[in-house]
Amino acid sequence: MRDAGLPLDVCDLVLTGDRGRDIVTIPRLTVAAGEAVGLRGASGAGKSSLLFVLAGLTSRMQGGVLWGETDIVSLPPDARAAFRADHMGIVFQDFLLFEEMDARGNAAVQAMFRTRAQRAALREGAERELAALGLSDTGRRVDSFSGGERQRVAVARALAAKPRVILADEPTANLDRATGDRLIEDLLRLRDGSGQTIIVVSHDERLLRRMDRVLVMEGGRIV
Ligand SMILES: Nc1ncnc2c1ncn2[C@@H]1O[C@H](COP(=O)(O)OP(=O)(O)OP(=O)(O)O)[C@@H](O)[C@H]1O
């Protein structure tokens, strides 16, 4: 089993956008290891921007974002990328799939960056998650998949390596009810089994209801 989830400690965080505008301002936010937290709020409230910060996908942040002992704000971009690859599974709002690869290849894409010894486990994890999400025909190129199918590939990719942290932006948005429910069960099964920390942006009440805690964002702040 992989290590359990990482705790998060955000301190005096400011994310600055173009023209110097503050997009996200968080004086303090702590999430326990293994906690499942929902983030909700109106469009433009800063939810996706906060996920980007937590994933270390921007250099325009100030303050502290500690995952365990590691402050990703103070890491250079290549070290942030390595930390992300080692510890995080991310579901982006627009999925970011490799269009010319099949579902299986996309779900196991991190294998390209792993050692030979790690590749088999990652491919196995990808197959397991694709099956758990009910996706068949995994040898087909993803550019021919529907929105919901693409979403399932993106989620399988995020979960394949059993990361210590899962960050997801609207993971159930394109899914029918049954598939959405399956995804929610899958996320919680991971958390209950190996204690992953989960932070999910969503408007889906069924998903939010299952989280340990739901935070509301407004104007770049948690209210
Ligand atoms: N690089 C940037 N420069 C300036 N403003 C930005 C930048 N990135 C995002 N914003 C603005 O910051 C605000 C928050 O955007 P964000 O995408 O985080 O909102 P959101 O809560 O995720 O919205 P949605 O639910 O519609 O996805 C928006 O007004 C957006 O236009």
mmCIF file of all heavy atoms in Angstrom, residues 150-180:
data_model
loop_
_atom_site.group_PDB
_atom_site.id
_atom_site.type_symbol
_atom_site.label_atom_id
_atom_site.label_comp_id
_atom_site.label_asym_id
_atom_site.label_seq_id
_atom_site.Cartn_x
_atom_site.Cartn_y
_atom_site.Cartn_z
ATOM 1 N N ARG A 150 -14.639 10.702 -21.825
ATOM 2 C CA ARG A 150 -13.356 11.410 -21.670
ATOM 3 C C ARG A 150 -13.119 11.745 -20.197
ATOM 4 O O ARG A 150 -12.011 11.637 -19.690
ATOM 5 C CB ARG A 150 -13.346 12.685 -22.503
ATOM 6 C CG ARG A 150 -13.428 12.419 -24.002
ATOM 7 C CD ARG A 150 -13.809 13.679 -24.750
ATOM 8 N NE ARG A 150 -12.757 14.686 -24.668
ATOM 9 C CZ ARG A 150 -11.660 14.677 -25.420
ATOM 10 N NH1 ARG A 150 -11.493 13.730 -26.323
ATOM 11 N NH2 ARG A 150 -10.750 15.603 -25.284
ATOM 12 N N GLN A 151 -14.190 12.140 -19.552
ATOM 13 C CA GLN A 151 -14.069 12.468 -18.136
ATOM 14 C C GLN A 151 -13.626 11.252 -17.327
ATOM 15 O O GLN A 151 -12.787 11.339 -16.438
ATOM 16 C CB GLN A 151 -15.410 12.956 -17.609
ATOM 17 C CG GLN A 151 -15.325 13.400 -16.167
ATOM 18 C CD GLN A 151 -16.208 14.572 -15.902
ATOM 19 O OE1 GLN A 151 -17.172 14.795 -16.614
ATOM 20 N NE2 GLN A 151 -15.885 15.342 -14.907
ATOM 21 N N ARG A 152 -14.183 10.082 -17.677
ATOM 22 C CA ARG A 152 -13.809 8.872 -16.940
ATOM 23 C C ARG A 152 -12.343 8.510 -17.174
ATOM 24 O O ARG A 152 -11.667 8.041 -16.261
ATOM 25 C CB ARG A 152 -14.727 7.718 -17.331
ATOM 26 C CG ARG A 152 -16.062 7.824 -16.605
ATOM 27 C CD ARG A 152 -16.952 6.673 -16.925
ATOM 28 N NE ARG A 152 -17.808 6.979 -18.056
ATOM 29 C CZ ARG A 152 -18.579 6.088 -18.666
ATOM 30 N NH1 ARG A 152 -18.562 4.841 -18.285
ATOM 31 N NH2 ARG A 152 -19.340 6.457 -19.665
ATOM 32 N N VAL A 153 -11.851 8.762 -18.389
ATOM 33 C CA VAL A 153 -10.430 8.506 -18.668
ATOM 34 C C VAL A 153 -9.572 9.430 -17.804
ATOM 35 O O VAL A 153 -8.581 9.010 -17.192
ATOM 36 C CB VAL A 153 -10.112 8.724 -20.166
ATOM 37 C CG1 VAL A 153 -8.617 8.582 -20.417
ATOM 38 C CG2 VAL A 153 -10.897 7.734 -21.032
ATOM 39 N N ALA A 154 -9.984 10.707 -17.721
ATOM 40 C CA ALA A 154 -9.217 11.675 -16.926
ATOM 41 C C ALA A 154 -9.204 11.286 -15.453
ATOM 42 O O ALA A 154 -8.183 11.409 -14.767
ATOM 43 C CB ALA A 154 -9.810 13.078 -17.100
ATOM 44 N N VAL A 155 -10.330 10.792 -14.972
ATOM 45 C CA VAL A 155 -10.408 10.395 -13.557
ATOM 46 C C VAL A 155 -9.566 9.138 -13.327
ATOM 47 O O VAL A 155 -8.814 9.046 -12.348
ATOM 48 C CB VAL A 155 -11.881 10.167 -13.143
ATOM 49 C CG1 VAL A 155 -11.953 9.532 -11.763
ATOM 50 C CG2 VAL A 155 -12.646 11.490 -13.166
ATOM 51 N N ALA A 156 -9.653 8.179 -14.237
ATOM 52 C CA ALA A 156 -8.847 6.952 -14.104
ATOM 53 C C ALA A 156 -7.362 7.302 -14.073
ATOM 54 O O ALA A 156 -6.596 6.738 -13.293
ATOM 55 C CB ALA A 156 -9.156 5.987 -15.250
ATOM 56 N N ARG A 157 -6.961 8.250 -14.913
ATOM 57 C CA ARG A 157 -5.547 8.670 -14.943
ATOM 58 C C ARG A 157 -5.131 9.241 -13.588
ATOM 59 O O ARG A 157 -4.049 8.962 -13.087
ATOM 60 C CB ARG A 157 -5.346 9.704 -16.048
ATOM 61 C CG ARG A 157 -3.919 10.226 -16.128
ATOM 62 C CD ARG A 157 -3.776 11.295 -17.192
ATOM 63 N NE ARG A 157 -4.678 12.402 -16.952
ATOM 64 C CZ ARG A 157 -4.932 13.368 -17.827
ATOM 65 N NH1 ARG A 157 -4.363 13.353 -19.005
ATOM 66 N NH2 ARG A 157 -5.748 14.353 -17.532
ATOM 67 N N ALA A 158 -6.021 10.055 -13.002
ATOM 68 C CA ALA A 158 -5.686 10.683 -11.718
ATOM 69 C C ALA A 158 -5.574 9.658 -10.593
ATOM 70 O O ALA A 158 -4.787 9.820 -9.667
ATOM 71 C CB ALA A 158 -6.733 11.737 -11.367
ATOM 72 N N LEU A 159 -6.373 8.594 -10.679
ATOM 73 C CA LEU A 159 -6.405 7.629 -9.578
ATOM 74 C C LEU A 159 -5.432 6.465 -9.765
ATOM 75 O O LEU A 159 -5.140 5.744 -8.808
ATOM 76 C CB LEU A 159 -7.824 7.061 -9.420
ATOM 77 C CG LEU A 159 -8.945 8.075 -9.164
ATOM 78 C CD1 LEU A 159 -10.258 7.343 -8.911
ATOM 79 C CD2 LEU A 159 -8.621 8.986 -8.003
ATOM 80 N N ALA A 160 -4.923 6.295 -10.986
ATOM 81 C CA ALA A 160 -4.178 5.076 -11.336
ATOM 82 C C ALA A 160 -3.004 4.789 -10.402
ATOM 83 O O ALA A 160 -2.759 3.643 -10.049
ATOM 84 C CB ALA A 160 -3.685 5.159 -12.778
ATOM 85 N N ALA A 161 -2.281 5.828 -10.016
ATOM 86 C CA ALA A 161 -1.074 5.600 -9.214
ATOM 87 C C ALA A 161 -1.351 5.651 -7.716
ATOM 88 O O ALA A 161 -0.418 5.660 -6.916
ATOM 89 C CB ALA A 161 -0.010 6.641 -9.579
ATOM 90 N N LYS A 162 -2.638 5.670 -7.332
ATOM 91 C CA LYS A 162 -3.005 5.827 -5.920
ATOM 92 C C LYS A 162 -2.215 6.970 -5.281
ATOM 93 O O LYS A 162 -1.413 6.755 -4.355
ATOM 94 C CB LYS A 162 -2.765 4.524 -5.157
ATOM 95 C CG LYS A 162 -3.724 3.427 -5.558
ATOM 96 C CD LYS A 162 -3.858 2.421 -4.446
ATOM 97 C CE LYS A 162 -4.928 1.413 -4.804
ATOM 98 N NZ LYS A 162 -4.912 0.243 -3.978
ATOM 99 N N PRO A 163 -2.404 8.177 -5.773
ATOM 100 C CA PRO A 163 -1.625 9.305 -5.251
ATOM 101 C C PRO A 163 -2.037 9.638 -3.816
ATOM 102 O O PRO A 163 -3.124 9.262 -3.378
ATOM 103 C CB PRO A 163 -2.007 10.445 -6.192
ATOM 104 C CG PRO A 163 -3.383 10.099 -6.636
ATOM 105 C CD PRO A 163 -3.413 8.607 -6.748
ATOM 106 N N ARG A 164 -1.165 10.362 -3.121
ATOM 107 C CA ARG A 164 -1.463 10.715 -1.715
ATOM 108 C C ARG A 164 -2.458 11.870 -1.654
ATOM 109 O O ARG A 164 -3.093 12.091 -0.634
ATOM 110 C CB ARG A 164 -0.168 11.084 -1.002
ATOM 111 C CG ARG A 164 0.820 9.930 -1.012
ATOM 112 C CD ARG A 164 2.121 10.311 -0.354
ATOM 113 N NE ARG A 164 1.952 10.383 1.086
ATOM 114 C CZ ARG A 164 2.931 10.718 1.920
ATOM 115 N NH1 ARG A 164 4.125 11.030 1.458
ATOM 116 N NH2 ARG A 164 2.708 10.755 3.219
ATOM 117 N N VAL A 165 -2.559 12.614 -2.750
ATOM 118 C CA VAL A 165 -3.469 13.762 -2.809
ATOM 119 C C VAL A 165 -4.247 13.700 -4.116
ATOM 120 O O VAL A 165 -3.659 13.452 -5.171
ATOM 121 C CB VAL A 165 -2.660 15.084 -2.787
ATOM 122 C CG1 VAL A 165 -3.574 16.274 -2.985
ATOM 123 C CG2 VAL A 165 -1.863 15.216 -1.504
ATOM 124 N N ILE A 166 -5.558 13.889 -4.040
ATOM 125 C CA ILE A 166 -6.366 13.955 -5.258
ATOM 126 C C ILE A 166 -7.016 15.333 -5.335
ATOM 127 O O ILE A 166 -7.698 15.757 -4.394
ATOM 128 C CB ILE A 166 -7.448 12.860 -5.253
ATOM 129 C CG1 ILE A 166 -6.790 11.485 -5.295
ATOM 130 C CG2 ILE A 166 -8.393 13.028 -6.445
ATOM 131 C CD1 ILE A 166 -7.717 10.356 -4.933
ATOM 132 N N LEU A 167 -6.769 16.029 -6.457
ATOM 133 C CA LEU A 167 -7.372 17.337 -6.686
ATOM 134 C C LEU A 167 -8.250 17.204 -7.925
ATOM 135 O O LEU A 167 -7.767 16.766 -8.978
ATOM 136 C CB LEU A 167 -6.292 18.395 -6.933
ATOM 137 C CG LEU A 167 -5.237 18.566 -5.824
ATOM 138 C CD1 LEU A 167 -4.145 19.525 -6.278
ATOM 139 C CD2 LEU A 167 -5.882 19.067 -4.533
ATOM 140 N N ALA A 168 -9.519 17.548 -7.807
ATOM 141 C CA ALA A 168 -10.408 17.335 -8.949
ATOM 142 C C ALA A 168 -11.330 18.533 -9.139
ATOM 143 O O ALA A 168 -11.890 19.064 -8.184
ATOM 144 C CB ALA A 168 -11.225 16.062 -8.734
ATOM 145 N N ASP A 169 -11.448 18.959 -10.413
ATOM 146 C CA ASP A 169 -12.295 20.096 -10.762
ATOM 147 C C ASP A 169 -13.546 19.563 -11.458
ATOM 148 O O ASP A 169 -13.456 19.067 -12.584
ATOM 149 C CB ASP A 169 -11.512 21.034 -11.690
ATOM 150 C CG ASP A 169 -12.012 22.458 -11.595
ATOM 151 O OD1 ASP A 169 -13.110 22.667 -11.045
ATOM 152 O OD2 ASP A 169 -11.298 23.366 -12.075
ATOM 153 N N GLU A 170 -14.670 19.606 -10.805
ATOM 154 C CA GLU A 170 -15.957 19.152 -11.350
ATOM 155 C C GLU A 170 -15.872 17.732 -11.933
ATOM 156 O O GLU A 170 -16.243 17.523 -13.098
ATOM 157 C CB GLU A 170 -16.423 20.114 -12.457
ATOM 158 C CG GLU A 170 -16.653 21.544 -11.996
ATOM 159 C CD GLU A 170 -18.006 21.728 -11.314
ATOM 160 O OE1 GLU A 170 -18.723 20.728 -11.121
ATOM 161 O OE2 GLU A 170 -18.311 22.867 -10.963
ATOM 162 N N PRO A 171 -15.422 16.752 -11.148
ATOM 163 C CA PRO A 171 -15.202 15.423 -11.739
ATOM 164 C C PRO A 171 -16.470 14.711 -12.176
ATOM 165 O O PRO A 171 -16.393 13.774 -12.968
ATOM 166 C CB PRO A 171 -14.504 14.648 -10.617
ATOM 167 C CG PRO A 171 -14.933 15.320 -9.366
ATOM 168 C CD PRO A 171 -15.080 16.777 -9.715
ATOM 169 N N THR A 172 -17.642 15.128 -11.690
ATOM 170 C CA THR A 172 -18.869 14.438 -12.096
ATOM 171 C C THR A 172 -19.680 15.235 -13.118
ATOM 172 O O THR A 172 -20.779 14.819 -13.502
ATOM 173 C CB THR A 172 -19.784 14.142 -10.875
ATOM 174 O OG1 THR A 172 -20.075 15.385 -10.215
ATOM 175 C CG2 THR A 172 -19.126 13.208 -9.883
ATOM 176 N N ALA A 173 -19.118 16.373 -13.583
ATOM 177 C CA ALA A 173 -19.921 17.304 -14.393
ATOM 178 C C ALA A 173 -20.535 16.690 -15.651
ATOM 179 O O ALA A 173 -21.654 17.021 -16.020
ATOM 180 C CB ALA A 173 -19.086 18.519 -14.762
ATOM 181 N N ASN A 174 -19.822 15.797 -16.330
ATOM 182 C CA ASN A 174 -20.338 15.258 -17.599
ATOM 183 C C ASN A 174 -20.874 13.845 -17.473
ATOM 184 O O ASN A 174 -21.089 13.176 -18.477
ATOM 185 C CB ASN A 174 -19.228 15.253 -18.650
ATOM 186 C CG ASN A 174 -18.812 16.652 -19.012
ATOM 187 O OD1 ASN A 174 -19.601 17.420 -19.553
ATOM 188 N ND2 ASN A 174 -17.605 17.018 -18.668
ATOM 189 N N LEU A 175 -21.038 13.383 -16.259
ATOM 190 C CA LEU A 175 -21.396 11.981 -16.075
ATOM 191 C C LEU A 175 -22.882 11.812 -15.788
ATOM 192 O O LEU A 175 -23.506 12.658 -15.148
ATOM 193 C CB LEU A 175 -20.592 11.399 -14.903
ATOM 194 C CG LEU A 175 -19.074 11.524 -15.023
ATOM 195 C CD1 LEU A 175 -18.385 10.879 -13.833
ATOM 196 C CD2 LEU A 175 -18.569 10.893 -16.317
ATOM 197 N N ASP A 176 -23.444 10.707 -16.289
ATOM 198 C CA ASP A 176 -24.831 10.411 -15.914
ATOM 199 C C ASP A 176 -24.833 9.993 -14.450
ATOM 200 O O ASP A 176 -23.789 9.778 -13.838
ATOM 201 C CB ASP A 176 -25.412 9.321 -16.824
ATOM 202 C CG ASP A 176 -24.619 8.028 -16.743
ATOM 203 O OD1 ASP A 176 -24.386 7.543 -15.619
ATOM 204 O OD2 ASP A 176 -24.221 7.502 -17.793
ATOM 205 N N ARG A 177 -26.022 9.880 -13.901
ATOM 206 C CA ARG A 177 -26.149 9.669 -12.471
ATOM 207 C C ARG A 177 -25.414 8.413 -11.977
ATOM 208 O O ARG A 177 -24.656 8.451 -11.003
ATOM 209 C CB ARG A 177 -27.640 9.579 -12.120
ATOM 210 C CG ARG A 177 -27.849 9.701 -10.660
ATOM 211 C CD ARG A 177 -29.313 9.604 -10.304
ATOM 212 N NE ARG A 177 -29.387 9.597 -8.874
ATOM 213 C CZ ARG A 177 -29.825 10.598 -8.132
ATOM 214 N NH1 ARG A 177 -30.271 11.684 -8.713
ATOM 215 N NH2 ARG A 177 -29.820 10.530 -6.822
ATOM 216 N N ALA A 178 -25.595 7.310 -12.707
ATOM 217 C CA ALA A 178 -25.005 6.047 -12.266
ATOM 218 C C ALA A 178 -23.473 6.126 -12.291
ATOM 219 O O ALA A 178 -22.799 5.700 -11.354
ATOM 220 C CB ALA A 178 -25.490 4.901 -13.151
ATOM 221 N N THR A 179 -22.943 6.723 -13.375
ATOM 222 C CA THR A 179 -21.484 6.804 -13.487
ATOM 223 C C THR A 179 -20.937 7.773 -12.449
ATOM 224 O O THR A 179 -19.878 7.545 -11.857
ATOM 225 C CB THR A 179 -21.082 7.249 -14.905
ATOM 226 O OG1 THR A 179 -21.799 6.460 -15.842
ATOM 227 C CG2 THR A 179 -19.608 7.080 -15.135
ATOM 228 N N GLY A 180 -21.659 8.873 -12.237
ATOM 229 C CA GLY A 180 -21.257 9.839 -11.216
ATOM 230 C C GLY A 180 -21.214 9.192 -9.843
ATOM 231 O O GLY A 180 -20.259 9.368 -9.077
#
